[in-house]
Amino acid sequence: MIGYATLGSNDLAKARAFYDALFGEIGAKRLMEFPDDQGGFTMWGTGWGAPAIAVTTPNNREAAVPGNGNMLAIPVESRAKVDALHAKACALGGSCDGPPGVRGEEGDRAFYGAYFRDPEGNKLCVYRVGPA
C-alpha cells in the first residue's frame, strides 16, 4: 500500500552518507536523486516494486523537523539483522530510541524490534515478526 515515505533533512550530504551506509546493510541502494537546487530528493529501495524511503529538503524551504509521533518501520529477515541495523545506525551517528528486543510475547507472531533516530532526529524502527 505504501510506495515510499519521505523524511526532511537540513543537511543532505550527511543524510545521504548515513542512509547510503545504513540501507546498504539490507541491500537497498539509491533509486532516484534530484540535484540539491531541486530539493535534493534522494530515494533508497531494494527495487521499483518495493516500498522506499527518501530524504529531501522541505518544499517550503523552512527547517526540517521530526514529526511528533511519526516513525518509519523497516522489516528485515532475522533478529540478527535487527540487531545489526540498529548497531549500524548508532555507529553512523544515529541514537538509540529503544534497544533490540521482543515487545510482547514470544511465539509465531513475536515482534522483535529496535528503535533509533537518524542524525536529524527522525525516528525509525527495524523489526522482525516471528520466532527467534
Side-chain angles (χ1 to χ4, degrees):
M1 181 163 65
I2 294 175
Y4 68 92
T6 304
L7 299 170
S9 175
N10 295 302
D11 186 338
L12 288 171
K14 187 174 182 180
R16 287 177 180 135
F18 178 85
Y19 286 111
D20 280 344
L22 184 68
F23 292 154
E25 293 289 312
I26 56 172
K29 62 181 190 264
R30 290 187 194 188
L31 297 176
M32 181 185 295
E33 184 173 353
F34 296 129
D36 290 357
D37 65 351
Q38 295 177 17
F41 181 93
T42 305
M43 181 189 298
W44 292 262
T46 57
W48 287 105
I53 296 175
V55 296
T56 190
T57 55
N59 190 50
N60 65 6
R61 302 294 184 229
E62 294 185 16
V65 295
N68 186 21
N70 295 345
M71 181 185 76
L72 299 180
I74 304 164
V76 294
E77 66 277 359
S78 69
R79 290 180 179 190
K81 190 57 96 170
V82 170
D83 297 347
L85 209 59
H86 181 266
K88 182 78 169 188
C90 293
L92 290 168
S95 60
C96 178
D97 208 41
V102 174
R103 271 60 175 187
E105 302 283 326
E106 274 290 4
D108 290 344
R109 304 290 298 157
F111 183 90
Y112 186 89
Y115 301 85
F116 61 90
R117 293 187 181 266
D118 73 7
E120 295 194 74
N122 295 299
K123 187 173 181 177
L124 293 94
C125 169
V126 59
Y127 71 95
R128 158 83 172 135
V129 174

